[in-house]
Amino acid sequence: MRNTYETETESGTESGTESGTAVAGSAPVRFDTKVAVLLRDDLESWQRLNVTAFLVSGLGTAVPEVIGEPYEDADSTAYLPMLRQPVLVFEGAKETVTAAHARALSRSLTTAVFTADLFGTGNDRDNRAAVRAVGRDALDLVGLAVYGPRNAVDKVLKGARMHP
């Protein structure tokens, strides 16, 4: 089983945001950055999956370097590129998510939020309006995604536990 901060790549290293000198998939790569999703621990299973998918979907537009190269199978069928490093999923109580949100913003980390109100909307326009209608400290957060230097993200996630 891989360490939560490690993954293997074909080349061993990618554009400057990770360290290591692996040879053709022979050694794990340790990333200097971390992608983490923190979910409130009272969500239903379908909500956890939905929130996680929505939260990570924004990372590639804000931080293009997190996106790897496109995939291709042995038959030359092309597939979309995906995030180039693992997404670690955590959970915590409502207070843990709220505190993590404040810490992420205070550290100016790239952050995406998902509020309880978004379960009642059906499109992007209404989602953005629902978030815009509530002040930062009053958001009813059910999840957030954070990207940044590994140590800073670890500090943001203080009190959270790995999702089972």
Side-chain angles (χ1 to χ4, degrees), residues 108-156:
S108 299
L109 296 177
T110 301
T111 306
V113 297
F114 197 103
T115 67
D117 296 334
L118 302 188
F119 290 124
T121 61
N123 61 74
D124 185 53
R125 184 191 71 237
D126 292 341
N127 286 349
R128 285 182 284 111
V131 173
R132 187 176 22 256
V134 180
R136 173 180 52 233
D137 295 335
L139 292 171
D140 185 10
L141 296 167
V142 298
L144 60 95
V146 181
Y147 172 78
R150 187 174 52 235
N151 292 340
V153 173
D154 287 342
K155 289 177 183 173
V156 165

Side-chain angles (χ1 to χ4, degrees), residues 3-116:
N3 174 306
T4 57
Y5 300 123
E6 297 173 335
T7 187
E8 294 178 21
T9 65
E10 214 170 277
S11 65
T13 61
E14 296 182 24
S15 63
T17 58
E18 67 212 43
S19 57
T21 56
V23 176
S26 65
V29 172
R30 185 171 171 93
F31 291 89
D32 294 336
T33 57
K34 185 181 239 182
V35 176
V37 171
L38 174 57
L39 302 170
R40 216 165 67 191
D41 59 7
D42 61 349
L43 297 179
E44 298 289 330
S45 292
W46 73 267
Q47 291 173 317
R48 291 170 187 250
L49 295 169
N50 185 268
V51 171
T52 300
F54 268 95
L55 288 171
V56 298
S57 71
L59 280 177
T61 59
V63 190
E65 63 268 20
V66 301
I67 303 297
E69 296 296 319
Y71 286 74
E72 185 176 291
D73 64 26
D75 298 318
S76 298
T77 305
Y79 301 98
L80 294 173
M82 295 185 280
L83 295 175
R84 65 179 186 81
Q85 69 187 88
V87 175
L88 304 174
V89 181
F90 296 82
E91 68 176 6
K94 181 176 185 171
E95 299 78 20
T96 303
V97 176
T98 300
H101 176 248
R103 288 191 292 265
L105 296 179
S106 74
R107 287 174 170 78
S108 299
L109 296 177
T110 301
T111 306
V113 297
F114 197 103
T115 67

